[in-house]
Amino acid sequence: MTLPDERLTAAAPRGAAAGRARDAVQATSQYLGVLAVLVLAIVVLSVTQPQFLTVDNFMNIAETNVVLLLVATGMTFVLLTGGIDLSVGGMMGFSAIVCWKLLDVLPAPAALLAAVAASLAAGLLTNGLLIGRAGMSFLVVTIGTGTFLHGLAQIWSGGQSQTIFKHAFLVKLGAQRAGGVPITVMIAVAVFALAVLVLRYTGFGRMVYAVGGNPEAARLAGISVAGVRVAVYTLCAALAGLAGVVGAARLTSTSPDAGIGMELTAGAAVLLGGTSFMGGRGSLLGTLLGVLFLGVLQNGVTLAGVSPFWSNVVSGVVLVVAIGIDRLRSGKAMP
Amino acid sequence: MAEANTAPLLKASGVAKRFGPVAALRRADLVVHRGEVVCLAGENGSGKSTLARIVAGAMPPDEGAVELDGRPAAFGGPKDALAAGVCLVSQEPTLVPGLSVAENVLLPRLNRAARTVRRTALAAQAAPFLERAGLRVDPLRTAGALPPGERELVEVAKALAAEPRLLILDEVTTRLPDPERLFAVVDGLAAQGCGVIVITHRLREIRRSCDRATVLRDGSTVAELGRDELTDERLSSAMVGRDLGEYFHKRPVAAGEVRLRVDRLVTDRSPHPLSFDVRAGEIVGVAGLVGAGRSELLETVAGARRARGGGFAVDGERLNGATPRTARRAGVALVPEDRFGQALAGDHSIRDNLAVPWLRALRRTDRARDHDRAVRAVAGYRVRCHGVHVPVGTLSGGNAQKLVLARAIGHAPKVLLLDEPTRGVDIGARADIYELIGGLAEGGAAVVLASSDLLELLGLADRIIVLAEGRQAGELSRDEASEEAIALLALGGGRTDDAA
């Protein structure tokens, strides 16, 4: 900012590679904190728990966190625009119960897809339009939507868990492995990879960042801020819906309460991964690390035979400390 | 003003401050005596605002000493500084948008005495300070609802309410339509023995109001100029190390066909319809006091606000119900008034900010092209930075403004709307920006320039439209235009009730 012109303009045109490398370093620093605690957790568990460092156990970790990864992926888009979706828990129950209802009239694969489509439509019509178009508060709208959908699911199911054990397709989907890898994990990884590509390499993905960074500037630059917001809430709803049916298939039962608390767990995973609550800053890679950390922690607590409630205590502390570190760093960088 | 015999009011010596790899201040010295008005001059990024913030306790220096009345002033924060009578009106807005004007003005006092607050009593208490600052507005109005210029006056009133011994005004006048009023206040404060530091880019204001000038360049104090040395030439050569030269670009009018036709347009601000044409190659100035509707006019034509009536056309094509997107496609580009609020995302890199208007939702991004575009803009527009990956929030105002311009001009607009394009921009960057604007007009664009800097309007515009309270008060050709003629029209029929 205070150096002479020549040095800087001379430094700049070294080509895209240098800039990209710098970007990568900068982006990495955002989730360095979670990476450090993840590595620490893995090292500690590897040393103390003999069963921890096995392929089987890692498949187990992956499998138990498929639902969380799907929801957190959608949530990352929303957080990047500066919002949050607190309806994902209700949406999961809604999707699972819609699927169960449709199993009476449709073949299982169609019922599953229809449930995801219903979630997408519900997200579009409630969160998407009310927040994106009507400009209502995302906190109010998503809490309302989540409660509303949870209620609908309770009414349709009588508030009961419903078994889907007789539907071979869903049971297979939830339990079968291909080449040792659970199908549900494959689905989640494929969705995640697609999301990474969308966020990094499409105009839409960059618009998500632009809207989160400064919505007014994005609007004046000709970006449809409303359209981007509608899109991210719709996307998040569809992924929550997918998570709802995938989770039901894993448990071979559908419950209106399947997603309770998921909005906070997924939000924690995204924030742990360095995505800013204010929007505009963050990445899906960070979200993946956040999900892995929560998963490894839960797994370690189970293996160690400690009360499972301790994992919540630890993840809460790590979350606040991670955000605190980020705050200190960005505070220093401010002029 | 005479120098006091005792230690100076303020003595800052050898002040240094780094932000990560960037040295904002290297070795800055500044002395202010009681009753003295000192100009702190320097180009963008020379460290003026950083020095001001250090003096006002908003951040500690890395090195160097700040003394008040000869005693070391180690402020723990702005609160300590305020208690010591040091008050900063900063470039960044500090108003609480949800509180009333009166509550904002008295905020430092509310802080001091935490007792119950009666709205009407507050209003009465705040009224004299608002009056002194020259703002006529209902003190019970919500501060966030005021236009930027009036908010600035609330900031000034807030500083006055703190009863300062040392007042620092950082680029305050650039947002004011009538700086003279503020300088009268400054004169009054100085007469009472208050020291005042004025940061401004306007040379005329420096000559008008300051006893001395301290010039910063690249974070160090490079010159001390006395009253009789405050000439444009001396100041600018001290600031940039080169001569003022062609400050303004007067060009011959080569007006072509009508590019922008504004036809009985009613904006948010003006109940009265506005009509005018801008031809290819023309620069039309828009003058008026704060609240006259300049920004609203420009933002409406850019599609950022809904027209309440009438319409406008670009190259004969009417834009009905324009949005920023459709206006942009029709060839309209806006450089908005508030560059960090309305144009840039401070956290994002130069490269990403420049890429925003080119994004298409369903198209692949091309990082290499984005990078090249940014590198070219940085080199072509002489933006000072460490590379295109740095967050734009770390750039100084003038450099950030060059990026906003680069982005607007990159679309080869038919109509370029400029709202205070050189607010808070130093001479060197100004000359660059004027050259760009002139060049674009010569290339056949229609340029609308809204500015509260009359010299800028007189220097650049082929015609000047004067707005007063949302009405089109008159139009002046280049030959008719003068500061007096503009001021006369801008004051309208003499009516000044603006609360509305």
Side-chain angles (χ1 to χ4, degrees), chain A residues 215-250:
Chain A
E216 179 63 7
R219 191 177 77 95
L220 289 180
I223 287 179
S224 167
V225 174
V228 170
R229 289 201 175 123
V230 170
V232 295
Y233 284 99
T234 306
L235 177 71
C236 186
L239 289 183
L242 179 62
V245 288
V246 167
R250 278 197 58 232

PDB file of all heavy atoms in Angstrom, chain A residues 215-250:
ATOM      1  N   PRO A 215     -23.351  -7.854  -0.750  1.00  0.00           N
ATOM      2  CA  PRO A 215     -24.543  -8.036  -1.583  1.00  0.00           C
ATOM      3  C   PRO A 215     -24.874  -6.814  -2.434  1.00  0.00           C
ATOM      4  O   PRO A 215     -25.257  -6.955  -3.597  1.00  0.00           O
ATOM      5  CB  PRO A 215     -25.662  -8.305  -0.566  1.00  0.00           C
ATOM      6  CG  PRO A 215     -25.070  -8.260   0.779  1.00  0.00           C
ATOM      7  CD  PRO A 215     -23.594  -8.042   0.675  1.00  0.00           C
ATOM      8  N   GLU A 216     -24.675  -5.623  -1.875  1.00  0.00           N
ATOM      9  CA  GLU A 216     -25.022  -4.415  -2.640  1.00  0.00           C
ATOM     10  C   GLU A 216     -24.088  -4.261  -3.835  1.00  0.00           C
ATOM     11  O   GLU A 216     -24.523  -3.934  -4.942  1.00  0.00           O
ATOM     12  CB  GLU A 216     -24.947  -3.188  -1.717  1.00  0.00           C
ATOM     13  CG  GLU A 216     -25.270  -1.858  -2.375  1.00  0.00           C
ATOM     14  CD  GLU A 216     -26.698  -1.762  -2.897  1.00  0.00           C
ATOM     15  OE1 GLU A 216     -27.503  -2.686  -2.640  1.00  0.00           O
ATOM     16  OE2 GLU A 216     -27.004  -0.780  -3.595  1.00  0.00           O
ATOM     17  N   ALA A 217     -22.800  -4.521  -3.608  1.00  0.00           N
ATOM     18  CA  ALA A 217     -21.851  -4.425  -4.717  1.00  0.00           C
ATOM     19  C   ALA A 217     -22.184  -5.464  -5.780  1.00  0.00           C
ATOM     20  O   ALA A 217     -22.124  -5.186  -6.977  1.00  0.00           O
ATOM     21  CB  ALA A 217     -20.425  -4.631  -4.209  1.00  0.00           C
ATOM     22  N   ALA A 218     -22.578  -6.662  -5.358  1.00  0.00           N
ATOM     23  CA  ALA A 218     -22.930  -7.706  -6.318  1.00  0.00           C
ATOM     24  C   ALA A 218     -24.142  -7.280  -7.132  1.00  0.00           C
ATOM     25  O   ALA A 218     -24.201  -7.452  -8.348  1.00  0.00           O
ATOM     26  CB  ALA A 218     -23.204  -9.017  -5.581  1.00  0.00           C
ATOM     27  N   ARG A 219     -25.119  -6.688  -6.453  1.00  0.00           N
ATOM     28  CA  ARG A 219     -26.351  -6.269  -7.135  1.00  0.00           C
ATOM     29  C   ARG A 219     -26.031  -5.205  -8.177  1.00  0.00           C
ATOM     30  O   ARG A 219     -26.478  -5.273  -9.325  1.00  0.00           O
ATOM     31  CB  ARG A 219     -27.330  -5.704  -6.105  1.00  0.00           C
ATOM     32  CG  ARG A 219     -28.721  -5.466  -6.617  1.00  0.00           C
ATOM     33  CD  ARG A 219     -29.629  -4.981  -5.505  1.00  0.00           C
ATOM     34  NE  ARG A 219     -29.417  -3.588  -5.188  1.00  0.00           N
ATOM     35  CZ  ARG A 219     -30.132  -2.584  -5.707  1.00  0.00           C
ATOM     36  NH1 ARG A 219     -31.113  -2.867  -6.563  1.00  0.00           N
ATOM     37  NH2 ARG A 219     -29.896  -1.345  -5.395  1.00  0.00           N
ATOM     38  N   LEU A 220     -25.229  -4.209  -7.772  1.00  0.00           N
ATOM     39  CA  LEU A 220     -24.908  -3.129  -8.702  1.00  0.00           C
ATOM     40  C   LEU A 220     -24.030  -3.630  -9.841  1.00  0.00           C
ATOM     41  O   LEU A 220     -23.975  -3.019 -10.898  1.00  0.00           O
ATOM     42  CB  LEU A 220     -24.221  -1.977  -7.969  1.00  0.00           C
ATOM     43  CG  LEU A 220     -25.125  -1.177  -7.035  1.00  0.00           C
ATOM     44  CD1 LEU A 220     -24.361  -0.058  -6.363  1.00  0.00           C
ATOM     45  CD2 LEU A 220     -26.308  -0.607  -7.796  1.00  0.00           C
ATOM     46  N   ALA A 221     -23.326  -4.742  -9.621  1.00  0.00           N
ATOM     47  CA  ALA A 221     -22.501  -5.297 -10.694  1.00  0.00           C
ATOM     48  C   ALA A 221     -23.344  -6.173 -11.614  1.00  0.00           C
ATOM     49  O   ALA A 221     -22.812  -6.815 -12.516  1.00  0.00           O
ATOM     50  CB  ALA A 221     -21.347  -6.098 -10.109  1.00  0.00           C
ATOM     51  N   GLY A 222     -24.639  -6.220 -11.378  1.00  0.00           N
ATOM     52  CA  GLY A 222     -25.520  -6.922 -12.301  1.00  0.00           C
ATOM     53  C   GLY A 222     -25.813  -8.360 -11.931  1.00  0.00           C
ATOM     54  O   GLY A 222     -26.399  -9.092 -12.713  1.00  0.00           O
ATOM     55  N   ILE A 223     -25.388  -8.782 -10.735  1.00  0.00           N
ATOM     56  CA  ILE A 223     -25.693 -10.146 -10.309  1.00  0.00           C
ATOM     57  C   ILE A 223     -27.077 -10.169  -9.691  1.00  0.00           C
ATOM     58  O   ILE A 223     -27.453  -9.261  -8.955  1.00  0.00           O
ATOM     59  CB  ILE A 223     -24.639 -10.616  -9.280  1.00  0.00           C
ATOM     60  CG1 ILE A 223     -23.336 -10.897 -10.006  1.00  0.00           C
ATOM     61  CG2 ILE A 223     -25.111 -11.870  -8.545  1.00  0.00           C
ATOM     62  CD1 ILE A 223     -22.220 -11.334  -9.094  1.00  0.00           C
ATOM     63  N   SER A 224     -27.844 -11.207 -10.002  1.00  0.00           N
ATOM     64  CA  SER A 224     -29.153 -11.346  -9.389  1.00  0.00           C
ATOM     65  C   SER A 224     -28.966 -11.917  -7.980  1.00  0.00           C
ATOM     66  O   SER A 224     -28.881 -13.129  -7.798  1.00  0.00           O
ATOM     67  CB  SER A 224     -30.045 -12.258 -10.223  1.00  0.00           C
ATOM     68  OG  SER A 224     -31.182 -12.602  -9.460  1.00  0.00           O
ATOM     69  N   VAL A 225     -28.876 -11.019  -7.007  1.00  0.00           N
ATOM     70  CA  VAL A 225     -28.635 -11.446  -5.635  1.00  0.00           C
ATOM     71  C   VAL A 225     -29.794 -12.326  -5.159  1.00  0.00           C
ATOM     72  O   VAL A 225     -29.589 -13.367  -4.525  1.00  0.00           O
ATOM     73  CB  VAL A 225     -28.459 -10.216  -4.711  1.00  0.00           C
ATOM     74  CG1 VAL A 225     -28.355 -10.640  -3.258  1.00  0.00           C
ATOM     75  CG2 VAL A 225     -27.223  -9.432  -5.119  1.00  0.00           C
ATOM     76  N   ALA A 226     -31.007 -11.911  -5.506  1.00  0.00           N
ATOM     77  CA  ALA A 226     -32.183 -12.695  -5.115  1.00  0.00           C
ATOM     78  C   ALA A 226     -32.096 -14.093  -5.708  1.00  0.00           C
ATOM     79  O   ALA A 226     -32.329 -15.091  -5.026  1.00  0.00           O
ATOM     80  CB  ALA A 226     -33.453 -11.991  -5.577  1.00  0.00           C
ATOM     81  N   GLY A 227     -31.720 -14.170  -6.987  1.00  0.00           N
ATOM     82  CA  GLY A 227     -31.634 -15.459  -7.661  1.00  0.00           C
ATOM     83  C   GLY A 227     -30.612 -16.374  -6.991  1.00  0.00           C
ATOM     84  O   GLY A 227     -30.857 -17.567  -6.792  1.00  0.00           O
ATOM     85  N   VAL A 228     -29.462 -15.804  -6.632  1.00  0.00           N
ATOM     86  CA  VAL A 228     -28.420 -16.601  -5.983  1.00  0.00           C
ATOM     87  C   VAL A 228     -28.921 -17.108  -4.640  1.00  0.00           C
ATOM     88  O   VAL A 228     -28.720 -18.269  -4.276  1.00  0.00           O
ATOM     89  CB  VAL A 228     -27.122 -15.781  -5.821  1.00  0.00           C
ATOM     90  CG1 VAL A 228     -26.123 -16.513  -4.936  1.00  0.00           C
ATOM     91  CG2 VAL A 228     -26.499 -15.499  -7.180  1.00  0.00           C
ATOM     92  N   ARG A 229     -29.604 -16.242  -3.897  1.00  0.00           N
ATOM     93  CA  ARG A 229     -30.105 -16.666  -2.587  1.00  0.00           C
ATOM     94  C   ARG A 229     -31.150 -17.763  -2.742  1.00  0.00           C
ATOM     95  O   ARG A 229     -31.127 -18.763  -2.023  1.00  0.00           O
ATOM     96  CB  ARG A 229     -30.696 -15.470  -1.840  1.00  0.00           C
ATOM     97  CG  ARG A 229     -29.629 -14.497  -1.380  1.00  0.00           C
ATOM     98  CD  ARG A 229     -30.135 -13.632  -0.234  1.00  0.00           C
ATOM     99  NE  ARG A 229     -29.055 -12.790   0.252  1.00  0.00           N
ATOM    100  CZ  ARG A 229     -29.102 -11.459   0.315  1.00  0.00           C
ATOM    101  NH1 ARG A 229     -30.203 -10.830  -0.037  1.00  0.00           N
ATOM    102  NH2 ARG A 229     -28.070 -10.778   0.747  1.00  0.00           N
ATOM    103  N   VAL A 230     -32.073 -17.576  -3.673  1.00  0.00           N
ATOM    104  CA  VAL A 230     -33.080 -18.605  -3.913  1.00  0.00           C
ATOM    105  C   VAL A 230     -32.379 -19.929  -4.222  1.00  0.00           C
ATOM    106  O   VAL A 230     -32.714 -20.985  -3.676  1.00  0.00           O
ATOM    107  CB  VAL A 230     -34.008 -18.207  -5.088  1.00  0.00           C
ATOM    108  CG1 VAL A 230     -34.885 -19.385  -5.493  1.00  0.00           C
ATOM    109  CG2 VAL A 230     -34.871 -17.011  -4.711  1.00  0.00           C
ATOM    110  N   ALA A 231     -31.357 -19.857  -5.068  1.00  0.00           N
ATOM    111  CA  ALA A 231     -30.652 -21.071  -5.489  1.00  0.00           C
ATOM    112  C   ALA A 231     -29.982 -21.776  -4.319  1.00  0.00           C
ATOM    113  O   ALA A 231     -30.075 -23.000  -4.187  1.00  0.00           O
ATOM    114  CB  ALA A 231     -29.639 -20.737  -6.582  1.00  0.00           C
ATOM    115  N   VAL A 232     -29.292 -21.028  -3.441  1.00  0.00           N
ATOM    116  CA  VAL A 232     -28.554 -21.716  -2.374  1.00  0.00           C
ATOM    117  C   VAL A 232     -29.503 -22.361  -1.357  1.00  0.00           C
ATOM    118  O   VAL A 232     -29.242 -23.468  -0.882  1.00  0.00           O
ATOM    119  CB  VAL A 232     -27.535 -20.809  -1.642  1.00  0.00           C
ATOM    120  CG1 VAL A 232     -26.430 -20.381  -2.575  1.00  0.00           C
ATOM    121  CG2 VAL A 232     -28.192 -19.635  -0.963  1.00  0.00           C
ATOM    122  N   TYR A 233     -30.623 -21.697  -1.051  1.00  0.00           N
ATOM    123  CA  TYR A 233     -31.554 -22.306  -0.091  1.00  0.00           C
ATOM    124  C   TYR A 233     -32.245 -23.519  -0.709  1.00  0.00           C
ATOM    125  O   TYR A 233     -32.514 -24.505  -0.027  1.00  0.00           O
ATOM    126  CB  TYR A 233     -32.576 -21.275   0.416  1.00  0.00           C
ATOM    127  CG  TYR A 233     -31.970 -20.337   1.426  1.00  0.00           C
ATOM    128  CD1 TYR A 233     -31.530 -19.082   1.060  1.00  0.00           C
ATOM    129  CD2 TYR A 233     -31.783 -20.740   2.746  1.00  0.00           C
ATOM    130  CE1 TYR A 233     -30.932 -18.230   1.977  1.00  0.00           C
ATOM    131  CE2 TYR A 233     -31.193 -19.906   3.676  1.00  0.00           C
ATOM    132  CZ  TYR A 233     -30.768 -18.653   3.291  1.00  0.00           C
ATOM    133  OH  TYR A 233     -30.172 -17.824   4.197  1.00  0.00           O
ATOM    134  N   THR A 234     -32.507 -23.449  -2.015  1.00  0.00           N
ATOM    135  CA  THR A 234     -33.107 -24.590  -2.692  1.00  0.00           C
ATOM    136  C   THR A 234     -32.138 -25.768  -2.721  1.00  0.00           C
ATOM    137  O   THR A 234     -32.507 -26.914  -2.441  1.00  0.00           O
ATOM    138  CB  THR A 234     -33.507 -24.196  -4.132  1.00  0.00           C
ATOM    139  OG1 THR A 234     -34.346 -23.043  -4.058  1.00  0.00           O
ATOM    140  CG2 THR A 234     -34.240 -25.318  -4.824  1.00  0.00           C
ATOM    141  N   LEU A 235     -30.885 -25.457  -3.051  1.00  0.00           N
ATOM    142  CA  LEU A 235     -29.849 -26.487  -3.092  1.00  0.00           C
ATOM    143  C   LEU A 235     -29.682 -27.131  -1.720  1.00  0.00           C
ATOM    144  O   LEU A 235     -29.598 -28.359  -1.580  1.00  0.00           O
ATOM    145  CB  LEU A 235     -28.532 -25.852  -3.545  1.00  0.00           C
ATOM    146  CG  LEU A 235     -27.306 -26.753  -3.583  1.00  0.00           C
ATOM    147  CD1 LEU A 235     -27.426 -27.743  -4.719  1.00  0.00           C
ATOM    148  CD2 LEU A 235     -26.037 -25.922  -3.751  1.00  0.00           C
ATOM    149  N   CYS A 236     -29.627 -26.305  -0.705  1.00  0.00           N
ATOM    150  CA  CYS A 236     -29.438 -26.807   0.659  1.00  0.00           C
ATOM    151  C   CYS A 236     -30.609 -27.718   1.045  1.00  0.00           C
ATOM    152  O   CYS A 236     -30.413 -28.777   1.647  1.00  0.00           O
ATOM    153  CB  CYS A 236     -29.321 -25.642   1.630  1.00  0.00           C
ATOM    154  SG  CYS A 236     -28.930 -26.146   3.303  1.00  0.00           S
ATOM    155  N   ALA A 237     -31.832 -27.324   0.662  1.00  0.00           N
ATOM    156  CA  ALA A 237     -33.010 -28.130   0.978  1.00  0.00           C
ATOM    157  C   ALA A 237     -32.946 -29.476   0.265  1.00  0.00           C
ATOM    158  O   ALA A 237     -33.246 -30.530   0.847  1.00  0.00           O
ATOM    159  CB  ALA A 237     -34.276 -27.366   0.578  1.00  0.00           C
ATOM    160  N   ALA A 238     -32.547 -29.460  -1.009  1.00  0.00           N
ATOM    161  CA  ALA A 238     -32.479 -30.708  -1.765  1.00  0.00           C
ATOM    162  C   ALA A 238     -31.462 -31.661  -1.139  1.00  0.00           C
ATOM    163  O   ALA A 238     -31.706 -32.867  -1.008  1.00  0.00           O
ATOM    164  CB  ALA A 238     -32.108 -30.420  -3.221  1.00  0.00           C
ATOM    165  N   LEU A 239     -30.313 -31.117  -0.721  1.00  0.00           N
ATOM    166  CA  LEU A 239     -29.297 -31.973  -0.117  1.00  0.00           C
ATOM    167  C   LEU A 239     -29.753 -32.477   1.247  1.00  0.00           C
ATOM    168  O   LEU A 239     -29.474 -33.627   1.619  1.00  0.00           O
ATOM    169  CB  LEU A 239     -27.963 -31.225  -0.001  1.00  0.00           C
ATOM    170  CG  LEU A 239     -27.254 -30.981  -1.337  1.00  0.00           C
ATOM    171  CD1 LEU A 239     -25.917 -30.302  -1.133  1.00  0.00           C
ATOM    172  CD2 LEU A 239     -27.068 -32.283  -2.103  1.00  0.00           C
ATOM    173  N   ALA A 240     -30.474 -31.645   1.994  1.00  0.00           N
ATOM    174  CA  ALA A 240     -31.016 -32.109   3.269  1.00  0.00           C
ATOM    175  C   ALA A 240     -32.031 -33.221   3.021  1.00  0.00           C
ATOM    176  O   ALA A 240     -32.092 -34.216   3.762  1.00  0.00           O
ATOM    177  CB  ALA A 240     -31.658 -30.960   4.038  1.00  0.00           C
ATOM    178  N   GLY A 241     -32.831 -33.055   1.957  1.00  0.00           N
ATOM    179  CA  GLY A 241     -33.803 -34.090   1.600  1.00  0.00           C
ATOM    180  C   GLY A 241     -33.106 -35.392   1.241  1.00  0.00           C
ATOM    181  O   GLY A 241     -33.502 -36.479   1.692  1.00  0.00           O
ATOM    182  N   LEU A 242     -32.035 -35.282   0.457  1.00  0.00           N
ATOM    183  CA  LEU A 242     -31.267 -36.469   0.096  1.00  0.00           C
ATOM    184  C   LEU A 242     -30.691 -37.117   1.354  1.00  0.00           C
ATOM    185  O   LEU A 242     -30.743 -38.340   1.532  1.00  0.00           O
ATOM    186  CB  LEU A 242     -30.137 -36.078  -0.869  1.00  0.00           C
ATOM    187  CG  LEU A 242     -29.216 -37.203  -1.343  1.00  0.00           C
ATOM    188  CD1 LEU A 242     -30.001 -38.254  -2.117  1.00  0.00           C
ATOM    189  CD2 LEU A 242     -28.086 -36.649  -2.207  1.00  0.00           C
ATOM    190  N   ALA A 243     -30.162 -36.270   2.250  1.00  0.00           N
ATOM    191  CA  ALA A 243     -29.606 -36.782   3.501  1.00  0.00           C
ATOM    192  C   ALA A 243     -30.696 -37.509   4.292  1.00  0.00           C
ATOM    193  O   ALA A 243     -30.439 -38.547   4.917  1.00  0.00           O
ATOM    194  CB  ALA A 243     -29.016 -35.636   4.326  1.00  0.00           C
ATOM    195  N   GLY A 244     -31.914 -36.980   4.253  1.00  0.00           N
ATOM    196  CA  GLY A 244     -33.028 -37.596   4.985  1.00  0.00           C
ATOM    197  C   GLY A 244     -33.310 -39.008   4.515  1.00  0.00           C
ATOM    198  O   GLY A 244     -33.420 -39.938   5.329  1.00  0.00           O
ATOM    199  N   VAL A 245     -33.378 -39.211   3.193  1.00  0.00           N
ATOM    200  CA  VAL A 245     -33.688 -40.554   2.696  1.00  0.00           C
ATOM    201  C   VAL A 245     -32.490 -41.499   2.807  1.00  0.00           C
ATOM    202  O   VAL A 245     -32.648 -42.680   3.105  1.00  0.00           O
ATOM    203  CB  VAL A 245     -34.238 -40.536   1.248  1.00  0.00           C
ATOM    204  CG1 VAL A 245     -35.647 -39.976   1.243  1.00  0.00           C
ATOM    205  CG2 VAL A 245     -33.344 -39.741   0.315  1.00  0.00           C
ATOM    206  N   VAL A 246     -31.277 -40.945   2.601  1.00  0.00           N
ATOM    207  CA  VAL A 246     -30.085 -41.788   2.749  1.00  0.00           C
ATOM    208  C   VAL A 246     -29.971 -42.250   4.200  1.00  0.00           C
ATOM    209  O   VAL A 246     -29.682 -43.421   4.476  1.00  0.00           O
ATOM    210  CB  VAL A 246     -28.815 -41.032   2.291  1.00  0.00           C
ATOM    211  CG1 VAL A 246     -27.560 -41.757   2.740  1.00  0.00           C
ATOM    212  CG2 VAL A 246     -28.818 -40.874   0.776  1.00  0.00           C
ATOM    213  N   GLY A 247     -30.223 -41.335   5.118  1.00  0.00           N
ATOM    214  CA  GLY A 247     -30.190 -41.685   6.540  1.00  0.00           C
ATOM    215  C   GLY A 247     -31.245 -42.733   6.873  1.00  0.00           C
ATOM    216  O   GLY A 247     -30.973 -43.694   7.614  1.00  0.00           O
ATOM    217  N   ALA A 248     -32.437 -42.595   6.302  1.00  0.00           N
ATOM    218  CA  ALA A 248     -33.509 -43.566   6.535  1.00  0.00           C
ATOM    219  C   ALA A 248     -33.103 -44.938   6.012  1.00  0.00           C
ATOM    220  O   ALA A 248     -33.326 -45.965   6.663  1.00  0.00           O
ATOM    221  CB  ALA A 248     -34.797 -43.092   5.866  1.00  0.00           C
ATOM    222  N   ALA A 249     -32.477 -44.964   4.827  1.00  0.00           N
ATOM    223  CA  ALA A 249     -32.047 -46.232   4.245  1.00  0.00           C
ATOM    224  C   ALA A 249     -31.006 -46.899   5.139  1.00  0.00           C
ATOM    225  O   ALA A 249     -31.018 -48.122   5.326  1.00  0.00           O
ATOM    226  CB  ALA A 249     -31.459 -45.985   2.851  1.00  0.00           C
ATOM    227  N   ARG A 250     -30.102 -46.111   5.721  1.00  0.00           N
ATOM    228  CA  ARG A 250     -29.084 -46.679   6.608  1.00  0.00           C
ATOM    229  C   ARG A 250     -29.729 -47.314   7.831  1.00  0.00           C
ATOM    230  O   ARG A 250     -29.309 -48.372   8.290  1.00  0.00           O
ATOM    231  CB  ARG A 250     -28.111 -45.594   7.069  1.00  0.00           C
ATOM    232  CG  ARG A 250     -27.023 -45.287   6.055  1.00  0.00           C
ATOM    233  CD  ARG A 250     -25.887 -44.531   6.729  1.00  0.00           C
ATOM    234  NE  ARG A 250     -25.350 -45.304   7.828  1.00  0.00           N
ATOM    235  CZ  ARG A 250     -25.196 -44.864   9.062  1.00  0.00           C
ATOM    236  NH1 ARG A 250     -25.572 -43.648   9.376  1.00  0.00           N
ATOM    237  NH2 ARG A 250     -24.688 -45.628   9.992  1.00  0.00           N
TER     238      ARG A 250
END
